[in-house]
Amino acid sequence: PGRAMDLAYVCEWEKRPKSNHCPSIPLVCAWSCRNLIAFTTDLRNEEEKDLTHMVHIIDTEHPWDVYSVNSGHAEIITCLEWDQSGSRLLSADADGHIKCWGMADHLANSWENTVGSMVEGDPVVALSWLHNGVKLALHVEKSGASNFGEKFSRVKFSPSLTLFGGKPMEGWIAVTISGLVTVSLLKPNGQVLTSTESLCRLRCRVALADVAFTGGGNIVVATSDGSSSSPVQFYKVCVSVVNEKCKIDTEILPSLFMRCTTDPARKDKYPAITHLKFLARDMSEQVLLCASNQNNSIVECWSLRKEGLPVNNIFQQISPVVGDKQPMILKWRILSATNDLDRVSAVALPKLPISLTNTDLKVANDTKFFPGLGLALAFHDGSVHIVHRLSLQMMAVFYGSSSQRSVDEQTIKRQRTAGPLVHFKAMQLSWTSLALAGIDSHGKLSMLRISPSMGHVLDMNMSLRHLLFLLEYCMVTGYDWWDILLHVQPNMVQNLVEKLHEEYMRQNAALQQVLSTRIVAMKASLCKLSSSTIARVCDYHAKLFLIAISCTLKSLLRPHFLNTPDKSPGDRLTEICSKITDVDIDKVMINLKTEEFVLEMTTLQSLQQLIQWVGDFVLYLLASLPNQGSPVRPGHSFLRDGASLGMFRELMVVIRIWGLLKPSCLPVYTATSDTQDSMSLLFRLLTKLWLCCREENHMTEPDDALIDECCLLPSQLLIPNIDWLPINDGIITKLQSKQLVRLQFGKAPGLVGHTVSSQFDAFVRAPGQPKIDHLRRLHLGAYPTEECKSCTRCGCVTMLKSPNKVTAVKQWEQRWVKNCLCGGLWRRMPLSCS
């Protein structure tokens, strides 16, 4: 069988003589749904002998671009937790302080601590955001269904706490070592309400704890004092707000003793419980336990069941009612257990909310679709096992130490004598379970790829179906899909893009509207992975830009009277442009109510750069029509895309009307004759091209007359250079050869052995050439003096601070203040490289 797990990249710290990053003792890491990873190290300063507790945040696509922040925690950091949206992070320490971190200026490499809470001097052992009531289930059995709603269904689940009107309240819950539970609520005005309560009357030491949620809106806390001879206790916690104060009620649930302690053969073999985890945040009825000694561990999986209580016959004679209906109680039952294992150093649980009904499990097994079904165990010898989350049977293995041995015999020998092998101290699975990140005892980050079929060789069609199912899941949830791209080989790209489009077209119109930009961004990221589709990346980004411009410019149109009919001016514009197929721009214009287009002069002038892009792009497209047989040139896919050409046509009409109000806002063309009306010439040709492909099922080829006219364009107008997006500097394209990539924190890798980029040099500006702000369409000069940000996914560059004061442009900039048009996060660029 193929390899189930392999190492994609490793990233390590530079050795500095004076200070170095040593892994903190309880090393923690967390992986967000936006594919950001946060982890901790301690910065040891040799001279002062003191430790600084650092939090590091990386984006998996640019792991070297690490954002390290001095957490300000006085004691060691014990927990890190991302929220559901993947944009805020909680950290808690051994002094009872909890901090909430958010992005500064929406930049993924700039973080600040905004609010927090504390339980003075009481170390935090478990931490979680409150549940927001959103829970999906993936039905593997329905992966062939056409409707996304069937594949990924919403599960009825109540938030931990709701505001007025049912909106979930944000906040967090933590458990401390002395047996306290503390809840902090974030009020919409920024205030924090905190309340602390003991878990039960007899407070006892809590060495390990975990938090889970029930569908009814309650919270379940599991605790252990660290000894396997003591019971694992469970508590139900209810949070409410009474008179502007946070109120906590707790009640005791059934507890359990690990089976290895009751088994005579193993009675005192595993004295300590080292890991205690609910199998998922929203599955409070299944728990994973690990007990260990110096060298070995054993793992057990337990489940909470309702069971009937047998009733003595005496009672049945007295009261027949009792006899009919057996009283029910909740009881923990062991589901599965492993044999004796090597000592476990870390556990990672799946975050993919896969449905666990018998049919789903059977279909998953038949089709070999395993994401979300395996959990990862890391061992002290450096190996990682993936075991089934219900049966705990082995699904895949990765041997860390043996793969290092071939690299350098000597270092291994030295390590053997010096001490234990390098092993993962913390691990996290990605949100689709296709990647695993581990931080080892040297603070080095390793990124592992996990095959969706766990190494079973599948036919191409099936492999594509697996990846497609997960891509659709990311499309519906809005999660980042970087970890899926790790598995896409160049020969899959074309098929995946086509199948993704087919599935998208099967959804209803409303859902298509919601997902319209996300699917374009997804296709762009896929096309980047194959040299034959690389030119289409440019097209998809241009399409995102076109959709955004079209929405913005249409939203500026104002109805003339307030008691307007049901259609907005933008909708009416679309309707009239598609109804009147005249090739003469002025005849189309006559049918529109000109008063709806009246804007202030400053507004029109401020839109000139966007208007210029529309004009340039239309000219570029028409001029490239004669050599349309070349799909390697960017712009090719627009020539058969009726919807996009229709949008360009509408925009030309709008621009023409605005040009009557303020001629200086029109696109500037360099023409060979003074008398030529360039706008109407381009509109005429564009309309003819649009008529060829406006109906998907009646596509016709452009006639010779149109091609001849387009051939003449370069002699009438200067064809502009289009500034395509830079080909991105991320890591994903370098990982396809399955060769291990070695990286260093803080150092961008050179573009060595990067084959794809060579074909692209024609479209991308070389260093030292003038740079451009891709979203404002402004020229920044060869060595920009303004600070810029670039998108972590598509590499699009734009200025951090807005140079504009006009509201219309502000409205345009609001579209991408939090995320790039492709949905990627922004990162601040150092001045030198932008």
Side-chain angles (χ1 to χ4, degrees), residues 182-315:
T182 172
V183 174
S184 295
L185 304 177
L186 290 176
K187 287 178 65 179
N189 61 7
Q191 264 183 308
V192 182
L193 295 179
T194 301
S195 171
T196 305
E197 198 57 63
S198 60
L199 273 171
C200 59
R201 290 208 189 107
L202 285 170
R203 264 169 71 185
C204 51
R205 177 171 182 272
V206 175
L208 300 167
D210 199 22
V211 181
F213 301 92
T214 67
N218 292 322
I219 302 167
V220 180
V221 173
T223 67
S224 155
D225 64 4
S227 157
S228 62
S229 54
S230 315
V232 177
Q233 303 274 11
F234 294 86
Y235 304 94
K236 184 165 97 180
V237 177
C238 299
V239 183
S240 51
V241 175
V242 184
N243 302 335
E244 290 293 300
K245 287 207 167 48
C246 174
K247 181 167 176 288
I248 303 176
D249 295 300
T250 62
E251 79 179 67
I252 296 182
L253 293 174
S255 56
L256 66 89
F257 281 97
M258 282 191 72
R259 193 175 69 180
C260 61
T261 57
T262 53
D263 168 7
R266 294 198 176 100
K267 193 162 189 310
D268 300 319
K269 190 171 176 189
Y270 298 107
I273 294 185
T274 49
H275 297 88
L276 158 65
K277 301 256 187 218
F278 285 107
L279 271 180
R281 275 267 174 263
D282 39 29
M283 280 182 65
S284 54
E285 58 285 344
Q286 280 192 359
V287 66
L288 185 82
L289 297 162
C290 170
S292 311
N293 57 28
Q294 234 45 71
N295 307 314
N296 299 91
S297 294
I298 191 164
V299 175
E300 298 178 359
C301 180
W302 289 72
S303 135
L304 190 63
R305 307 264 176 87
K306 271 195 174 146
E307 294 186 1
L309 203 61
V311 176
N312 193 304
N313 290 340
I314 296 176
F315 294 110

Side-chain angles (χ1 to χ4, degrees), residues 525-540:
S525 63
L526 287 165
C527 287
K528 206 177 279 177
L529 300 177
S530 157
S531 52
S532 58
T533 51
I534 199 115
R536 281 163 57 189
V537 180
C538 299
D539 290 13
Y540 288 127

Side-chain angles (χ1 to χ4, degrees), residues 458-685:
L458 302 176
D459 63 333
M460 191 57 152
N461 211 358
M462 202 47 130
S463 317
L464 287 174
R465 253 186 64 184
H466 288 352
L467 295 179
L468 191 67
F469 189 47
L470 292 170
L471 281 169
E472 290 165 0
Y473 169 69
C474 289
M475 189 152 59
V476 171
T477 52
Y479 295 160
D480 186 70
W481 56 93
W482 178 88
D483 36 330
I484 306 176
L485 299 180
L486 277 178
H487 297 267
V488 175
Q489 289 303 309
N491 58 349
M492 300 177 172
V493 170
Q494 189 73 34
N495 275 338
L496 267 178
V497 171
E498 282 167 16
K499 287 199 159 77
L500 196 62
H501 184 74
E502 277 168 30
E503 290 295 322
Y504 169 78
M505 294 310 288
R506 290 161 78 178
Q507 308 312 310
N508 62 28
L511 186 57
Q512 282 192 23
Q513 180 72 39
V514 172
L515 303 176
S516 59
T517 53
R518 206 172 289 154
I519 184 166
V520 178
M522 230 173 218
K523 290 176 183 171
S525 63
L526 287 165
C527 287
K528 206 177 279 177
L529 300 177
S530 157
S531 52
S532 58
T533 51
I534 199 115
R536 281 163 57 189
V537 180
C538 299
D539 290 13
Y540 288 127
H541 286 306
K543 183 156 185 183
L544 283 172
F545 197 66
L546 169 66
I547 294 172
I549 286 188
S550 169
C551 293
T552 305
L553 297 190
K554 279 187 191 170
S555 70
L556 295 173
L557 306 181
R558 290 281 165 264
H560 185 49
F561 301 109
L562 284 177
N563 55 352
T564 51
D566 47 353
K567 283 201 175 68
S568 69
D571 293 343
R572 203 158 46 248
L573 168 76
T574 306
E575 193 184 352
I576 287 173
C577 285
S578 60
K579 202 161 60 193
I580 297 173
T581 56
D582 207 298
V583 293
D584 183 349
I585 192 164
D586 296 326
K587 289 197 179 144
V588 180
M589 214 166 76
I590 287 168
N591 294 283
L592 291 161
K593 298 190 179 138
T594 333
E595 57 268 25
E596 293 181 343
F597 291 78
V598 176
L599 295 180
E600 292 163 21
M601 296 299 150
T602 47
T603 305
L604 289 177
Q605 193 54 54
S606 67
L607 296 169
Q608 206 278 327
Q609 277 90 8
L610 301 183
I611 290 173
Q612 183 70 45
W613 179 83
V614 174
D616 282 351
F617 204 87
V618 169
L619 174 53
Y620 171 84
L621 281 185
L622 292 169
S624 63
L625 178 65
N627 58 7
Q628 58 170 327
S630 129
V632 290
R633 278 194 60 166
H636 176 264
S637 64
F638 276 97
L639 300 173
R640 311 302 290 141
D641 176 357
S644 297
L645 294 175
M647 274 188 199
F648 275 122
R649 196 167 165 266
E650 288 165 29
L651 292 177
M652 294 286 275
V653 175
V654 176
I655 293 168
R656 178 73 164 196
I657 299 178
W658 282 347
L660 298 174
L661 296 168
K662 186 162 179 68
S664 63
C665 78
L666 286 171
V668 179
Y669 293 113
T670 312
T672 44
S673 107
D674 298 343
T675 52
Q676 173 181 299
D677 182 349
S678 310
M679 284 281 293
S680 68
L681 167 69
L682 292 175
F683 186 83
R684 194 178 82 236
L685 301 177

